[in-house]
Structures are given as C-alpha cells and as structure tokens.
Amino acid sequence: MKGTGVGGVGAAGGTEGAGEAGRARVTRAGAGRRTGVVRARIALAAVLTVALASACSGPSSSDADGAAANRPAEPAHGKQAHGKPAPANAAPGKPAQGQPKAAGARAGEKGTAGALAAYVERVRKSQAARVAAAKKWGLAKTPLPAPPPPTVKPKINTRKGFETDGEGLPPVFTTVPTKEKIVFLTIDDGAEKDPELLRMMSDLQIPYSAFLSDYLVKEDYGYFKKMQDSGVSLHNHTLNHRYMPGLSYAQQKHEICDQQANLEKRYGKRPPLFRPPYGNYNEDTLRAAQSCGVKAVPLWAAEAFPDRMEWREWDRDLHPGDIVLTHFRGKEDWKGTMPDMIRRVMKTITDKGYAVAKLEDYV
C-alpha cells in the first residue's frame, strides 16, 4: 500500500521529528455623465500609489495596482454614449452645453470618491503599521502583503506518489495550486507557549495555522484560545503524536477523532484539516480522519528553524503555494526562540519575493 511514511523526510534530510478585485463595471449608457467618476478614480489611484510608496519606504515594499489598466473607455470625440452626434461646442466626455449634470451622477461621484479615499487610508495605515512592526521585531525587510484571496478556492488533489489505494479520501498535498507568489505558514504540536510569538505575529499581521496535539496543548488551552481569538485557525495533529501506520484503524480513529472532539469542545469548531505526526500515514489514517470530518491533509514543502531552512524539493527553493512547516519550540530544543525562527523564515520568504497567505482561504 502506498502512502506509508511519504511525508517524513525532506530533500535535505529534514524530518518533522527534528522540528516540525474586481473592477467596478461602469454602465456604458450615459458614460459621458460618469466621466467625473472615472477621473475621480484615476486621481485617487494616483493618491493610492503615492500613499503606498510613502508607507512602503521601509526595508521592503510591494507595487501598487495600476488603476489605469482597469479604466473604462471614454466615448470617442464628437460622440455621445448612445452614438448620437454631440454638439460641436461640447467638450469630449462632458455634458452638452446647457445640460447640467444629473444629481444622481454627482452623488455617485461623491460616494465613489469617498469609498476610494477611505480604502487608500486603510491601506496606507496598514502598511505603515507593518513597516513599524518589522523594525520593532528586528526583521531584515517588511513582509510583503498577500493578494486578496480567491473568490473560488482551487481544487486540491493528492500529490503524485502520495496516494493510497482508496478513492475519495481526503487529499494529501504539500503545495496549493496557485500562480500567486504566496506560501502558507503552519506550526505544529504546541510544546512551546511563547507569549512573544503571539504579540509578534499580531503586530506583523502574518497569517498562520496551528496543528495541535492534545498531550501538549492541555498544559495551557488558554494560550491557544488567545491565538484563535487573533484569527489563527486551530487544526488536528492527534491526541498523542503517535506514528499512525503502526496503529490499527481503531487506534488511529481514537487518536484523530477524539482530538477532533477535544478541539471542538475547547475552541468551538471541528477542524477541517489534519496533519499526521511526522507526515506518516496509510489508508486507514485517511479513512479514520474522513470519518470525523477531516476534508484535507496538508503536509509541507519546506521546514523552518531559527538557524536554517530544510527543503523537500530538489531545487531547495520556494514555489507558489508551498506549505512551510515549523514547530512550537524554544531554546531547549532549538538554537533560538520562536521569534528567532520567524525572523529567519520571513527573511527567506521576503527575499524570494513571496508573501504569506492564510491557508484556510485556499483550502
């Protein structure tokens, strides 16, 4: 049977055990009346570009979206929107002389301008906060902001070579299908409960997902409740972190499904994602997980430590949609703290031009 042990070892020998928009559509009819809206958008887009350029003047920045590419075409000179000749003295794109602009059009312009101005200000403040947080926490560069999530999540399939003989089981994968330069950060088990990590990730606005084992989490359920309250999704990593292929189906179901129940009781939600300990599984693992609500089994393509990165792929590089694994660990196990690990992994991610996105927006 395929699937046993496939997830455990990276290309460089790293193991988990070693440390785990849419453009607003402008109505073509009456386009001449709406030219002011267009111009307002163009002007505000310029403001947005300047604002972002200013906010991103820290160690790193991302390009502002170009509004001109999304601009609707204006009527040709001498023609109105319905194809009727315009008066000879009418300026292109403006109401004919003696025809005042409709009140509704004026109100629409003000509403659009106000919404865009508010958006510009939100973006400016958010990026300025990220720049300040990067300096506060000693990051080499400001993390890049992730693009908006897709309106439809991509279809996830089991990675080739990770299949079992069963059909219709939760997919096992290391990378999410996407062309965006994004990766996903995941943290396993729950051994270290460093309050600095919570503050750092909240300040930096970096999304991540936690896969929890109850025998470690039960020491301080409240720590992970604070994590959840900050927007982190909590997922299943079994009760006791045992090697799944060495257990019977009933034992595996106990490890997985009882942890589903624990997490639902403690945090109010039954997780849709499960990661087997060490990345090892067989068909029984997937059947047991499916039986208690698991929809997908994300493994990882790279693993982060405070002093290095380890890779699954031969090119030892990041790829769009890669899942990055790390662990809740401290100086007792690592050459550094969890904030040290975040500084290291974010330097790698940002240097390569990637942003961290929220896994649950895509899976």
Side-chain angles (χ1 to χ4, degrees):
M1 179 180 297
K2 301 176 185 177
T4 301
V6 297
V9 183
T15 67
E16 188 195 38
E20 293 195 32
R23 177 176 61 188
R25 189 174 300 276
V26 178
T27 306
R28 301 294 299 179
R33 295 198 307 268
R34 302 209 178 207
T35 304
V37 178
V38 174
R39 291 176 176 170
R41 290 178 176 175
I42 294 170
L44 281 165
V47 174
L48 174 58
T49 302
V50 172
L52 284 176
S54 174
C56 298
S57 60
S60 176
S61 67
S62 61
D63 293 334
D65 294 331
N70 289 332
R71 214 185 326 166
E74 295 185 7
H77 182 57
K79 292 286 185 178
Q80 292 180 331
H82 293 292
K84 297 178 181 179
N89 61 348
K94 294 183 178 180
Q97 191 173 20
Q99 295 180 355
K101 189 178 295 184
R106 292 195 300 271
E109 288 180 19
K110 291 181 180 179
T112 301
L116 284 170
Y119 173 73
V120 168
E121 183 63 11
R122 286 197 306 271
V123 172
R124 187 194 68 78
K125 287 183 177 180
S126 177
Q127 187 62 13
R130 292 167 69 91
V131 171
K135 291 179 180 179
K136 171 184 175 180
W137 291 101
L139 271 68
K141 294 181 179 180
T142 303
L144 300 174
T151 53
V152 178
K153 294 181 180 181
K155 178 178 175 56
I156 309 292
N157 294 311
T158 291
R159 175 173 170 158
K160 186 177 181 180
F162 286 56
E163 306 94 339
T164 68
D165 295 330
E167 295 183 2
L169 295 172
V172 181
F173 55 101
T174 62
T175 299
V176 173
T178 181
K179 294 181 180 180
E180 302 275 7
K181 289 197 73 173
I182 56 173
V183 295
F184 306 98
L185 183 61
T186 64
I187 312 180
D188 276 10
D189 66 45
E192 182 75 3
K193 303 165 185 69
D194 187 349
E196 287 291 283
L197 176 71
L198 301 183
R199 290 191 283 268
M200 182 181 196
M201 301 302 272
S202 179
D203 286 351
L204 291 169
Q205 305 170 45
I206 298 174
Y208 61 103
S209 305
F211 290 78
L212 305 179
S213 295
D214 190 62
Y215 82 107
L216 296 169
V217 175
K218 67 183 180 182
E219 297 170 356
D220 188 355
Y221 287 118
Y223 176 83
F224 300 96
K225 184 64 173 68
K226 292 177 183 177
M227 189 175 289
Q228 182 188 44
D229 290 345
S230 72
V232 177
S233 295
L234 309 180
H235 298 290
N236 193 330
H237 200 44
T238 73
L239 287 173
N240 299 297
H241 206 274
R242 299 181 65 184
Y243 176 71
M244 293 287 100
L247 305 180
S248 67
Y249 173 80
Q251 290 171 317
Q252 293 197 53
K253 187 172 182 178
H254 165 67
E255 283 286 328
I256 300 167
C257 294
D258 283 13
Q259 178 63 339
Q260 287 286 88
N262 278 345
L263 292 170
E264 183 176 26
K265 176 182 177 181
R266 295 287 177 178
Y267 303 112
K269 185 176 181 180
R270 184 169 287 250
L273 305 182
F274 162 69
R275 176 176 284 158
Y278 316 106
N280 297 129
Y281 64 94
N282 58 20
E283 187 174 324
D284 281 348
T285 313
L286 303 182
R287 290 199 299 115
Q290 186 179 53
S291 75
C292 49
V294 169
K295 305 300 183 184
V297 181
L299 298 185
W300 63 93
E303 184 169 1
F305 299 86
D307 58 336
R308 68 190 190 278
M309 294 288 295
E310 293 187 355
W311 310 92
R312 184 186 296 274
E313 308 301 340
W314 65 272
D315 59 356
R316 301 175 58 79
D317 203 357
L318 291 177
H319 313 87
D322 275 356
I323 299 170
V324 178
L325 163 71
T326 189
H327 290 80
F328 291 97
R329 292 286 186 273
K331 288 187 175 181
E332 298 83 2
D333 304 291
W334 275 350
K335 296 179 181 178
T337 64
M338 296 206 72
D340 291 333
M341 178 275 299
I342 294 298
R343 281 185 278 270
R344 175 71 187 211
V345 68
M346 290 309 303
K347 174 173 172 48
T348 300
I349 291 169
T350 307
D351 281 352
K352 292 178 180 292
Y354 284 80
V356 179
K358 186 177 178 68
L359 181 62
E360 294 76 16
D361 287 340
Y362 290 77
V363 179

